[in-house]
Amino acid sequence: MGRATDTAYDAVRQMILSGAAEAGSRLGEAELAETLGLSRTPVREALQRLGSDGLVEVLPHRGARVVQWTREDIEEIFELRALLEPYAAARAASRAPGPDVLGDLHERCDAMEQAASAGDLGRVARLNSAFHAAVIEASGNRRLPAMLTSVMHAPLIVGTFRRYDADEMSRSMHHHRELVAALAAGDPAWAESVMRAHIRAAAVSLRGER
């Protein structure tokens, strides 16, 4: 049953991340089980796991649906990110990341820029999440990844990139490059300021206030 649950979890998660299952849409156990060729039990368990991830809302007697964020939710999410991620970036810079870490971040920047040029926003979002996760890991604070998992909602990130115009996308990519430069320089203040600007710019774009 564990393997079937993993299969259901991966499949439904990909539906959400790709946008095939839109925010607010219903996720019926019976329909998903038929589509995936599984029984309802692993599908139910997968939906519970996705609920713990913050991607699905399981409603008593009403089934499950893809989480839909309100303006207040968005404000809270980006407020937390603007507090925690600049700290992570500053701490990572103070630890002087080695060439392996910096090389990996440069490669992620290359891949993001290529995906952005190709218009593959789902891939941009996945690479962006991996980039931020790598910076957080480089901070060396073992509690930060768990604290940020609940606010690094991939569908919300995809939505952010979908709202970007060409200039905003270019600015976001430049922020990533500048952050790597700040980490390479071992400058915590620079890294912190770049990350804060990056998060706040994303919040403004998602609110539609540009």
Side-chain angles (χ1 to χ4, degrees):
M1 188 62 67
R3 183 172 297 178
T5 299
D6 289 342
T7 298
Y9 173 85
D10 291 339
V12 179
R13 185 174 185 273
Q14 183 56 35
M15 288 169 59
I16 296 171
L17 300 189
S18 68
E22 298 182 349
S25 63
R26 181 176 175 274
L27 297 168
E29 286 182 13
E31 294 88 342
L32 287 170
E34 182 177 356
T35 298
L36 300 175
L38 299 169
S39 68
R40 293 181 64 167
T41 299
V43 170
R44 184 180 306 116
E45 292 174 351
L47 291 174
Q48 292 289 343
R49 283 175 58 185
L50 290 163
S52 298
D53 291 346
L55 300 178
V56 166
E57 184 179 12
V58 181
L59 306 170
H61 312 298
R62 293 168 58 191
R65 68 182 182 188
V66 181
V67 166
Q68 186 169 23
W69 288 279
T70 65
R71 184 184 179 90
E72 182 178 0
D73 292 331
I74 293 169
E75 291 287 352
E76 289 179 353
I77 286 168
F78 277 95
E79 182 178 345
L80 285 171
R81 289 188 63 191
L83 288 170
L84 294 174
E85 290 197 68
Y87 163 76
R91 185 178 167 92
S94 70
R95 290 167 58 86
D100 289 346
V101 172
L102 295 173
D104 176 68
L105 291 173
H106 276 299
E107 289 178 4
R108 294 186 193 279
C109 287
D110 291 341
M112 270 190 284
E113 290 165 8
Q114 292 168 7
S117 296
D120 188 346
L121 300 185
R123 179 167 169 75
V124 173
R126 291 191 296 274
L127 289 165
N128 177 82
S129 295
F131 178 93
H132 283 257
V135 173
I136 292 163
E137 182 178 355
S139 75
N141 187 312
R142 292 174 297 173
R143 291 173 176 80
L144 273 178
M147 294 173 69
L148 280 162
T149 294
S150 63
V151 294
M152 290 291 290
H153 296 291
L156 189 57
I157 294 169
V158 173
T160 304
F161 286 119
R162 285 177 178 159
R163 295 187 69 95
Y164 278 178
D165 59 25
D167 288 341
E168 287 169 323
M169 182 65 79
S170 176
R171 179 179 62 199
S172 180
M173 298 299 107
H174 176 74
H175 282 159
H176 291 141
R177 292 288 187 186
E178 186 176 1
L179 181 58
V180 177
L183 296 177
D187 190 321
W190 184 12
E192 181 178 6
S193 66
V194 173
M195 182 65 87
R196 180 170 290 107
H198 182 60
I199 299 299
R200 296 316 308 169
V204 169
S205 291
L206 193 58
R207 290 197 303 261
E209 295 178 356
R210 60 179 184 272

